[in-house]
Amino acid sequence: LTELGHESSVVGVARMWSPYAATLLVDTVDEALAADVEREGMRCVVAPTVMRTAVDAKALAHLVLTV
C-alpha cells in the first residue's frame, strides 16, 4: 500500500475501499483502530482472523457470512 501512496494500515485500507464496500473485517490486533475505520465510512467488525484450526476457520466463515 505504501508504494501506491496509501497508508499501510486498516485505516488506509478503509480509505481505499469505502467507496466500494460497506464493511471491513479487521483482526483483533487492530481493534484500537476500529473507530478510525468507521470514521472513513465503513462498518468495522473486529474478530480473530488467524485460523489455526478447522474450528477457527469455521467460526470466521460463519462470522463473514452473517455480518
Side-chain angles (χ1 to χ4, degrees), residues 10 13-26 34 37-38 40-47 63-67:
V10 294
V13 172
R15 283 189 190 118
M16 285 179 46
W17 287 100
S18 61
Y20 312 105
T23 303
L24 182 62
L25 173 69
V26 302
V37 167
E38 293 197 344
E40 295 300 326
M42 295 187 86
R43 176 180 173 209
C44 187
V45 176
V46 179
L63 175 66
V64 168
L65 294 172
T66 59
V67 293

Side-chain angles (χ1 to χ4, degrees), residues 5-63:
H6 300 283
E7 180 182 337
S8 182
S9 72
V10 294
V11 178
V13 172
R15 283 189 190 118
M16 285 179 46
W17 287 100
S18 61
Y20 312 105
T23 303
L24 182 62
L25 173 69
V26 302
D27 190 80
T28 54
V29 299
D30 291 315
E31 185 171 15
L33 298 172
D36 295 329
V37 167
E38 293 197 344
R39 275 191 283 281
E40 295 300 326
M42 295 187 86
R43 176 180 173 209
C44 187
V45 176
V46 179
T49 61
V50 177
M51 299 171 283
R52 291 185 174 95
T53 67
V55 172
D56 295 343
K58 183 178 179 180
L60 184 59
H62 181 315
L63 175 66

